[in-house]
């Protein structure tokens, strides 16, 4: 009863405070700096520089990404025969929406990666629309962002929103509108074109509300050819810019340093628990600037390391056992992914050392192969052959085993 009463008092206080302030004076906007729904240089100078949309990535880079997407669309449809060729294209990429663990308690928000890649915008319930011009050829296009309108009452609880003006200023797109105008925008585009291609991923939509809008729009429409932009976006994301490479290096550096600290931590404890190592890894990553861990880590002592996606992480690790940790961190949209195995007691047994050394030698040989053009399939086949040879040398499998048996 006390907690309900305190919650009611807090809500009443916030509402009374809001009512005492004029719309231009609420304590979200009454600051020297314009607040946005994500870090900007004026509010977070320790994280982001002037001209950047997200840390390390400037407006120009996101513009280039959108332009390259439209170039890919042009090439994709330029290869078709004249009867199937479409000159008009519209691309719709929705953001993610919030998910809740209970009625009012949200999970940590994670943006749709395709939307983040093309905009850098980190707010939920938004949409990027790119469309071609009737009198201009691709990749020339218009970019529009649809965002949630500013709402002082909601922002008291959830933090500031960028709003229409803020999104336009932050992202460098051509137009910005409220999300509620998306349907009208789509209808106007439809009415102005004889036929066109709609690029929208109907099979992997991250936002149910936007997906319903798109489903109804297509049901009412004709003269449309539908394609998913995701394969094109995935191809673009294969090639990293110098700025992206620097962020990836930093993410790996943070996770690597954290691993070293966790190893030392495990060696110093009289009793080692998987949960302790999980917690220590997250701590070490976050104090180095990571937002959170890249995925639920595997922290598996002893034989539990044979469970590929073991994430319970709740068992005591015996002093003579090895622990396998598969973990990484999330840094400004880029993640690291590292797996290491070590003895929690600080020393390998002779058998553990021999096996570890064999795996290390295999890894070094595989890394040398990566300096030449080689497919992942061929790399995997090389790994299985090398592993089979090493296991024979260690007498862990019969020396008479065939290559097929060693592979199994």
């Amino acid at each position: 009863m006390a907690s309900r009463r305190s919650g009611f008092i807090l809500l009443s206080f916030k509402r009374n405070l809001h009512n005492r302030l004029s719309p231009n004076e609420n304590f979200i906007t009454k600051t020297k700096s314009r607040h946005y729904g994500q870090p900007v240089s004026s509010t977070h100078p320790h994280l982001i520089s002037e001209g950047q949309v997200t840390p390390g990535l400037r407006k120009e880079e996101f513009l280039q990404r959108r332009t390259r997407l439209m170039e890919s669309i042009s090439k994709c449809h330029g290869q078709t025969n004249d009867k199937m060729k479409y000159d008009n294209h519209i691309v719709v990429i929705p953001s993610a929406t919030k998910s809740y663990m209970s009625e009012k308690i949200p999970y940590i928000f994670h943006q749709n990666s395709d939307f983040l890649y093309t905009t850098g915008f980190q707010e939920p319930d938004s949409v990027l629309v790119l469309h071609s011009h009737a009198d201009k050829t691709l990749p020339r296009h218009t970019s529009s962002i649809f965002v949630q309108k500013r709402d002082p009452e909601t922002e008291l609880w959830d933090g500031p929103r960028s709003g229409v003006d803020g999104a336009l200023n932050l992202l460098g797109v051509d137009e910005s509108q409220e999300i509620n105008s998306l349907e009208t925008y789509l209808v106007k585009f439809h009415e102005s074109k004889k036929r066109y291609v709609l690029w929208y991923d109907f099979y992997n939509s991250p936002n149910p509300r936007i997906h319903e809008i798109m489903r109804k729009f297509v049901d009412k429409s004709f003269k449309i050819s539908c394609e998913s932009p995701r394969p094109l976006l995935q191809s673009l994301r294969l090639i990293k810019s110098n700025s992206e490479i620097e962020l990836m290096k930093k993410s790996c550096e943070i996770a690597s340093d954290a691993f070293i600290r966790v190893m030392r931590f495990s060696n110093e404890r009289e009793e080692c628990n998987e949960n302790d190592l999980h917690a220590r890894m997250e701590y070490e990553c976050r104090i180095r600037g990571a937002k959170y861990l890249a995925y639920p880590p595997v922290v598996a002592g002893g034989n539990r390391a044979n469970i590929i996606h073991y994430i319970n992480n709740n068992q005591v690790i015996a002093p003579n056992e090895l622990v396998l940790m598969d973990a990484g961190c999330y840094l400004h949209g880029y993640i690291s992914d590292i797996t290491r195995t070590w003895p929690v007691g600080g020393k390998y047994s002779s058998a553990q050392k021999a096996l570890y050394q064999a795996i290390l030698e295999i890894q070094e040989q595989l890394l040398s192969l990566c300096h030449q053009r080689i497919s992942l399939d061929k790399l995997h086949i090389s790994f299985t052959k090398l592993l089979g040879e090493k296991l024979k040398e260690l007498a862990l499998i019969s020396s008479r085993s065939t290559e097929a048996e060693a592979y199994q």
Side-chain angles (χ1 to χ4, degrees), residues 206-219:
N207 194 308
R209 177 192 170 197
I210 303 304
H211 186 66
E212 184 63 16
I213 290 173
M214 298 306 299
R215 188 189 64 78
K216 289 181 179 178
F217 172 68
V218 170
D219 286 347

Side-chain angles (χ1 to χ4, degrees), residues 2 21 30 64 92 130 134 146 162 174 183 243 264 309 319 393:
L21 299 172
K30 191 180 178 182
Q64 290 169 4
V92 179
L130 310 174
F146 294 80
S162 298
D174 300 314
E183 287 184 84
S243 298
R264 290 173 180 169
H309 288 159
E393 290 177 16

Side-chain angles (χ1 to χ4, degrees), residues 93-97 109-119 121 204-206 230 237:
I93 304 175
S95 77
T97 190
F109 178 69
H110 184 76
Q111 188 58 282
N112 171 28
S113 58
D114 287 341
F115 179 82
L116 185 64
Y117 181 78
T118 48
T119 66
F121 200 50
N204 297 284
S205 178
R230 197 166 194 195
R237 290 172 62 185

Side-chain angles (χ1 to χ4, degrees), residues 73 76-77 80 84-86 88-92 186 189-190 195-203 211 213-232:
I73 286 173
C76 180
H77 272 256
T80 61
M84 296 298 294
K85 188 175 180 179
Y86 288 77
N88 300 305
H89 301 265
I90 183 167
V91 184
V92 179
L186 293 172
F189 178 86
H190 174 78
R195 62 178 186 174
Y196 59 92
V197 180
L198 168 64
W199 296 82
Y200 172 76
D201 190 350
F202 278 96
Y203 297 103
H211 186 66
I213 290 173
M214 298 306 299
R215 188 189 64 78
K216 289 181 179 178
F217 172 68
V218 170
D219 286 347
K220 295 178 182 178
S221 304
F222 54 96
K223 63 185 181 182
I224 292 181
S225 172
C226 295
E227 302 276 358
S228 171
R230 197 166 194 195
L232 300 180

Side-chain angles (χ1 to χ4, degrees), residues 88-108:
N88 300 305
H89 301 265
I90 183 167
V91 184
V92 179
I93 304 175
S95 77
T97 190
K98 282 187 175 181
S99 297
Y100 291 83
M101 60 181 73
S102 63
E103 185 178 359
K104 297 293 183 181
I105 309 300
Y107 287 105
I108 294 174

